[in-house]
Amino acid sequence: MCRVVDLQQAVLARNDAGAQNLRAEMTARGTAVVNILSSPGSGKTALLESELLLARRRSVPVVALTADLATENDATRLARSGVPVKQILTDGLCHLESEMLAGHLRGWLPDDTRLLFVENVGNLVCPATYDLGETLRVVLASVTEGEDKPLKYPTAFGLAHLVLVTKTDIAEAVEFDEAAFRAHVEQVNPGVEVVLTSARRGRGVGALLDRALAAADGAPVHRPVMARTADTHHHSPPHSHPHTGAVAHTHP
């Protein structure tokens, strides 16, 4: 058991060092990194597509990188926004790591990029423990996932700078209890902002872009003190193995 813990700590320490280097590099070039986490099927691709379209209309230089275990479906969808998009295939790994992200950005990231949106692998466990050198960490939860989601995944929600509730256009149909959800978020992350959104109806679209731009301009972000491995002790340590990246989708 001690060897397992030591291995996990070593992997996280290496990742943290890479994250610090990437954060310094992105800060120096004036690019803010937004790390977006959620469960599969939460609607984060739909919401991100809306945010990218809005950024393009506002002439904000943005790019997006999306990670999945397989398929380029999300990259193809996000590329419809007209902004540069790149897909990372993780070869079965359930999260992104800082060195992996840095490797895919090298030689690809446009010089004038103001915001880099990173759509992490759909998973609220492993990705929560890995710092990607982000400026802003955002966690999404759909109204269909249950009001107790923040209590089930306290590390993911506890380290978020912003929490977005998606698919609110069907909240009444699924009897979503907004007050209970907000109370549970407050329990694990006191004071964090919770924004209700619906990509289908346009509700809350722009909140993520505005918050990211504010962070890029140096506005303070909310990150409470919390043990990031609080909900990972029943899971196997991260594995190190090669990763493959798919063809980038880049549009003028």
Side-chain angles (χ1 to χ4, degrees), residues 177-195:
D177 189 336
E178 180 187 340
F181 180 84
R182 287 182 179 274
H184 294 152
V185 171
E186 183 70 15
Q187 188 173 333
V188 300
N189 193 339
V192 72
E193 184 181 9
V194 177
V195 178

Side-chain angles (χ1 to χ4, degrees), residues 72-114:
E72 297 183 30
N73 294 347
D74 287 351
T76 299
R77 181 174 182 177
L78 292 178
R80 297 186 309 196
S81 67
V83 308
V85 175
K86 188 175 186 180
Q87 178 80 53
I88 291 181
L89 298 180
T90 64
D91 193 26
L93 197 66
C94 62
H95 60 274
L96 284 175
E97 296 178 5
S98 59
E99 291 181 354
M100 189 193 319
L101 177 59
H104 282 274
L105 293 177
R106 201 167 294 123
W108 174 76
L109 191 65
D111 292 337
D112 66 343
T113 302
R114 185 64 172 150

